Amino acid sequence: MQTLISKLQKVYDSDVLGFGEIFNEEEPKANESYMKNKKHIFTEIKTKINVHVQIKASNKTMKPIIIGK
């Protein structure tokens, strides 16, 4: 995920995840300053990804799956 966000920032300069909208809602004055200078906040923000996984069912099979036979 971090690699994808970094590539979107640096290569494509595209905020498809909507960080700019969230920043505008949280910090409208700061966002206005960026827009006056023709800068997009998305290309300059640092991101940190936290993933929380919850397994609801293991779908355990009756026989073990053997790979490579």
Side-chain angles (χ1 to χ4, degrees):
M1 286 299 293
Q2 190 65 50
T3 304
L4 171 65
I5 292 172
S6 182
K7 191 169 188 174
L8 287 170
Q9 287 176 303
K10 293 178 178 69
V11 177
Y12 297 107
D13 189 19
S14 177
D15 184 9
V16 297
L17 302 173
F19 288 117
E21 290 177 28
I22 295 168
F23 183 71
N24 187 40
E25 291 173 8
E26 299 289 325
E27 298 290 336
K29 289 183 182 180
N31 189 53
E32 189 176 311
S33 174
Y34 269 90
M35 296 309 280
K36 282 182 184 176
N37 294 318
K38 303 289 186 205
K39 292 184 180 179
H40 297 279
I41 189 68
F42 178 69
T43 59
E44 298 183 15
I45 62 172
K46 293 183 181 187
T47 57
K48 182 179 179 182
I49 306 295
N50 291 314
V51 178
H52 301 277
V53 177
Q54 181 179 12
I55 299 173
K56 293 189 176 195
S58 66
N59 293 330
K60 189 175 180 181
T61 61
M62 298 300 265
K63 296 180 182 178
I65 298 171
I66 301 172
I67 299 174
K69 282 197 169 192

